Amino acid sequence: MMLIVKENERGLVFKNGKFIKAVTAGKYRFWGDVQVEVLRIDQMIQSKLASLEVLLADRTLAESAEVIDIADWQLALHFVDGKFCDVLRQGKYAFWNIYSRHTFMLVDITSPEVAGDVPAYLFARIPSAFYQKFEVAEYQQGRLLFNQKFVRILAPGTYYFWKTDIKVEVSCADTRLTQMEISGQEILSQDKVSLRINFVLSYRIVDFTRIQNEIDNYKEQLHVASQLALREYVGKYRIDELLENKEEISRFVLDRLKKREGEFFIEITAAGVKDIILPGEIRDIMNTVLVAEKRAQANVITRREEVASTRALLNTARLMDENRTLFKLKELEYVERICENVGNINLGGNGDVLSQLTSLLQNKTT
């Protein structure tokens, strides 16, 4: 049998099913029951006819191979000539180390934590089947759990964890100022009027670990605490008092909630009444009262202006009576206004023009 092994290949020679040796590039002639398996040197050393242990028993082949043995609790990051190639699971592997240099980084996966010596840029090339990625935004805190057990708080950033039998979870909490609305609360005032109150408050979380471990649904509990504080205040006052003192409602509820900040592990920064909605019939009555009040105020203003106008006329008349020049000026002013509405005026050549106009206008008005 004639065989040519190329430069980028190696041959594995078997005789009667038994591995004999590995041959390099060249031309070979074999006799008898010989079988030759040709392997490419840019691929893993792997034979269909013999195990890796059998192949490595050949000294020539072993000297040309880079061998890595990966334990059950390890992964190996495979690099070819310093460039990342792939990830290898547990097992024994061999690669031709003839024209390329094969190196490996062993990774301990007994814990999902990725060691600090593993460059983060590699995860862009590592298949996602090997790791999990979590991102914590700048305004968040992350809560890391292994098998539902709290491990630590994660600062903002990107985190990678190996996929193992340990379940990894990261829950994020918003550390920014958050707003909660308590809408449509129907509360009876002291005079038995059913009011609907919309309330709003602002808060931020100060202890994310304890708020998750010690409180079941802190948002719902904060919502209920706000409702109870509103009912406590509104039930003590009549509707007129409540409408006049909306700010007092806000201060009362804020004070009550501030006293319970430690229970909820939050900081409450502000609280206030957004709307007070009255029943339809009460709203109609109050609108009628408001219209009546505004009409009364308008009448008072009208009377006040009439008195002021009369007083001004009296003062003007007194000044004109005491000063004839002022009287004549006022007379000229009125003559000018009257003449603006007159089409034609005929005057004689004798006498004062102003006297003639005045006399003529007086006769016309009478």
Side-chain angles (χ1 to χ4, degrees):
M1 181 181 71
M2 180 73 67
L3 176 68
I4 296 176
V5 179
K6 298 177 182 177
E7 190 66 32
N8 64 336
E9 297 175 337
R10 290 295 181 268
L12 304 179
V13 180
F14 295 86
K15 187 172 184 180
N16 297 323
K18 182 180 179 180
F19 175 65
I20 303 299
K21 63 179 179 178
V23 295
T24 59
K27 185 176 181 180
Y28 300 91
R29 183 181 296 275
F30 300 98
W31 289 269
D33 188 11
V34 175
Q35 186 176 2
V36 179
E37 185 178 9
V38 178
L39 303 180
R40 291 180 47 146
I41 63 174
D42 59 351
Q43 296 180 350
M44 185 187 305
I45 299 175
Q46 193 173 21
S47 172
K48 298 178 181 179
L49 304 176
S51 67
L52 182 60
E53 296 293 342
V54 171
L55 298 180
L56 292 174
D58 181 82
R59 184 176 178 181
T60 304
L61 187 148
E63 289 177 351
S64 302
E66 185 69 39
V67 181
I68 180 73
D69 195 356
I70 306 169
D72 290 341
W73 61 87
Q74 292 177 322
L75 292 176
L77 304 182
H78 180 200
F79 297 84
V80 179
D81 294 331
K83 299 176 182 178
F84 177 77
C85 179
D86 58 359
V87 180
L88 303 176
R89 298 183 184 272
Q90 70 273 16
K92 193 170 185 178
Y93 303 86
F95 297 87
W96 298 107
N97 216 2
I98 300 172
Y99 298 120
S100 298
R101 184 172 58 91
H102 295 263
T103 55
F104 306 90
M105 177 186 289
L106 289 174
V107 174
D108 189 338
I109 58 171
T110 53
S111 170
E113 297 262 13
V114 175
D117 59 346
V118 179
Y121 74 87
L122 289 180
F123 289 96
R125 301 190 61 190
I126 295 175
S128 59
F130 290 96
Y131 71 92
Q132 293 175 274
K133 177 182 177 182
F134 297 97
E135 292 185 345
V136 181
E138 186 176 358
Y139 53 86
Q140 293 178 326
Q141 281 190 335
R143 186 167 174 264
L144 176 63
L145 297 95
F146 289 170
N147 288 337
Q148 300 184 349
K149 293 181 180 179
F150 174 74
V151 179
R152 69 175 189 273
I153 292 294
L154 300 179
T158 301
Y159 298 87
Y160 299 93
F161 299 91
W162 300 116
K163 285 187 177 179
T164 66
D165 294 337
I166 298 175
K167 183 180 179 181
V168 179
E169 297 176 277
V170 174
S171 57
C172 295
D174 197 327
T175 58
R176 295 176 297 182
L177 195 64
T178 305
Q179 182 172 290
M180 174 182 287
E181 292 196 6
I182 297 93
S183 303
Q185 296 303 304
E186 294 193 0
I187 307 174
L188 285 177
S189 64
Q190 189 185 53
D191 48 1
K192 308 305 179 186
V193 176
S194 178
L195 304 176
R196 289 179 58 199
I197 298 179
N198 295 327
F199 195 81
V200 63
L201 62 91
S202 299
Y203 70 94
R204 63 165 53 89
I205 298 173
V206 295
D207 192 334
F208 178 54
T209 303
R210 297 184 68 186
I211 205 171
Q212 291 289 330
N213 292 340
E214 301 181 24
I215 298 182
D216 179 23
N217 197 341
Y218 74 91
K219 290 185 179 181
E220 181 62 27
Q221 295 203 35
L222 181 59
H223 192 280
V224 172
S226 304
Q227 287 179 320
L228 294 176
L230 279 171
R231 293 181 186 279
E232 180 183 353
Y233 185 89
V234 172
K236 295 178 181 179
Y237 296 93
R238 300 174 64 85
I239 184 173
D240 293 336
E241 297 171 324
L242 294 171
L243 294 176
E244 291 175 2
N245 300 297
K246 289 175 62 176
E247 294 183 0
E248 286 297 326
I249 304 176
S250 303
R251 278 193 287 268
F252 178 85
V253 176
L254 179 59
D255 181 64
R256 283 288 189 271
L257 295 177
K258 291 286 282 185
K259 291 178 180 178
R260 301 189 64 183
E261 283 180 329
E263 298 178 31
F264 300 132
F265 308 109
I266 61 175
E267 176 192 6
I268 298 173
T269 59
V273 174
K274 192 175 180 182
D275 301 299
I276 297 180
I277 303 172
L278 304 175
E281 61 275 11
I282 299 296
R283 187 166 57 248
D284 293 340
I285 292 171
M286 296 199 72
N287 286 338
T288 303
V289 172
L290 180 62
V291 170
E293 289 179 352
K294 294 303 179 184
R295 284 178 178 171
Q297 291 176 5
N299 288 333
V300 170
I301 294 172
T302 300
R303 298 296 179 268
R304 188 184 300 122
E305 293 300 322
E306 288 177 353
V307 170
S309 178
T310 303
R311 186 179 292 112
L313 288 173
L314 179 61
N315 291 336
T316 303
R318 185 179 294 116
L319 289 172
M320 288 191 297
D321 186 51
E322 294 173 355
N323 191 323
R324 299 302 298 174
T325 303
L326 180 60
F327 177 80
K328 294 298 286 183
L329 288 173
K330 200 68 176 175
E331 186 179 45
L332 286 172
E333 180 182 340
Y334 280 101
V335 167
E336 180 184 2
R337 291 182 184 177
I338 293 171
C339 288
E340 289 178 354
N341 298 317
V342 175
N344 296 311
I345 298 177
N346 297 320
L347 299 175
N350 299 323
D352 183 15
V353 173
L354 180 59
S355 299
Q356 291 186 57
L357 278 172
T358 305
S359 176
L360 179 64
L361 292 172
Q362 287 176 348
N363 292 334
K364 191 173 184 66
T365 55
T366 56

